[in-house]
Amino acid sequence: MEYRILHLYHDLMNLYGESGNVRALSRHLSDQGFTVSVDKKSVGEDVDFSRYDFVYIGCGTERNQKVALHDLLRYRDVIAERANEDAVFFLTGNAFEMLGKSITAADGTVYPGLELAQFEVTELSDKRYTGDAVCNSEWYAKPMVGFINKCSHITGVEHPLFEMKLGEGNAPGDKKEGYRFRNVFGTHLIGPVLVKNPHFMTYMIKLIGSQTADDFQMKTVNYDYETKAYQVTLAELMQRVESVN
């Protein structure tokens, strides 16, 4: 089985070592018997999105985000088409903000987004939200852990990804976080999030496998260090959640 991954803006959008998501996913897919190829593309390079089964964009500075967005807008229609065909997109940190209607920068400049969704992003000039995060979801039983570092409010998200137990949601007073449309996943969680949440990695592998072959059966592979790290992190963070409540 062959699987093709596109790591888009690998140089601009890798602020917190988020390329670890792609490396970890590649290794787990290889362990399942996939032959994995990873293409790295950046600004100015032509991209044929139809060639890829999985597209990843990581977190970047606010400036680099705008550079990436300007380049990505030329593929607006193609990305919408691939999303509706159930291709898997995974965007972490402020990368997923590009999927919305617009981003209003701290200086008031409005940048049009990809409009895959109608949410709007407003950047802040005087506040940044940083801290550990714990969240739940309706589509998977186990909690997620990670870290959030952002300076934006997001309003109008119709299909959020997570429900926050600890940490900042999309906007003040909003416990919902991230965005999901079909197999498009967007979250401010960084970590890298696939490494810190082995159960989410398993979910992704099963999703990928079911798309590749109707009879896909996931092999049991033990990743003891990843599992132990998740368990320790979750236990410590849940103590903080309980102390607040």
Side-chain angles (χ1 to χ4, degrees):
M1 296 181 290
E2 183 178 2
Y3 200 76
R4 298 175 299 276
I5 296 174
L6 172 61
H7 188 180
L8 195 53
Y9 310 120
H10 62 98
D11 49 350
L12 288 176
M13 305 293 282
N14 186 33
L15 189 57
Y16 303 107
E18 295 297 274
S19 60
N21 283 310
V22 173
R23 293 195 301 271
L25 179 63
S26 299
R27 176 168 63 90
H28 282 247
L29 285 171
S30 295
D31 291 343
Q32 293 296 322
F34 286 87
T35 299
V36 183
S37 62
V38 179
D39 286 350
K40 296 181 178 181
K41 298 283 188 176
S42 193
V43 172
E45 298 182 78
D46 291 332
V47 177
D48 180 0
F49 282 88
S50 67
R51 294 187 63 247
Y52 301 102
D53 308 292
F54 185 98
V55 178
Y56 177 72
I57 308 177
C59 186
T61 65
E62 283 69 48
R63 178 182 179 277
N64 283 357
Q65 178 205 51
K66 306 308 181 300
V67 174
L69 176 58
H70 178 75
D71 185 74
L72 197 59
L73 282 171
R74 59 191 169 127
Y75 298 111
R76 174 188 287 166
D77 294 340
V78 175
I79 290 171
E81 180 180 353
R82 291 293 288 145
N84 280 287
E85 292 171 347
D86 285 335
V88 184
F89 288 76
F90 186 38
L91 295 86
T92 57
N94 62 353
F96 97 85
E97 297 176 355
M98 299 188 293
L99 298 173
K101 182 178 179 180
S102 65
I103 300 174
T104 301
D107 65 2
T109 304
V110 179
Y111 297 85
L114 294 172
E115 294 190 84
L116 189 63
Q118 291 301 301
F119 62 77
E120 297 180 333
V121 180
T122 302
E123 291 181 354
L124 310 173
S125 61
D126 58 350
K127 188 171 182 60
R128 179 170 288 273
Y129 300 99
T130 61
D132 295 309
V134 179
C135 48
N136 293 333
S137 66
E138 295 180 353
W139 47 270
Y140 203 82
K142 292 185 178 180
M144 297 280 291
V145 299
F147 192 83
I148 288 179
N149 185 343
K150 67 169 191 169
C151 62
S152 62
H153 293 164
I154 305 178
T155 56
V157 179
E158 294 185 357
H159 303 288
L161 187 62
F162 299 127
E163 176 88 16
M164 302 302 293
K165 295 296 182 183
L166 176 69
E168 187 72 17
N170 286 325
D174 183 4
K175 288 298 183 181
K176 305 295 185 180
E177 198 283 324
Y179 167 75
R180 182 176 183 179
F181 171 74
R182 302 178 76 96
N183 291 331
V184 178
F185 301 84
T187 178
H188 270 115
L189 288 185
I190 53 178
V193 67
L194 287 180
V195 177
K196 299 195 76 166
N197 296 275
H199 55 291
F200 187 39
M201 177 72 80
T202 298
Y203 177 89
M204 283 290 190
I205 298 295
K206 288 180 178 179
L207 175 62
I208 289 166
S210 65
Q211 287 189 325
T212 307
D214 292 336
D215 58 350
F216 175 76
Q217 295 292 323
M218 189 162 179
K219 302 175 185 177
T220 299
V221 182
N222 293 321
Y223 301 98
D224 294 335
Y225 290 112
E226 294 176 12
T227 300
K228 182 64 174 177
Y230 166 76
Q231 292 171 342
V232 170
T233 301
L234 178 62
E236 292 183 355
L237 293 181
M238 285 307 296
Q239 287 182 356
R240 289 167 54 182
V241 172
E242 292 166 4
S243 67
V244 172
N245 295 334

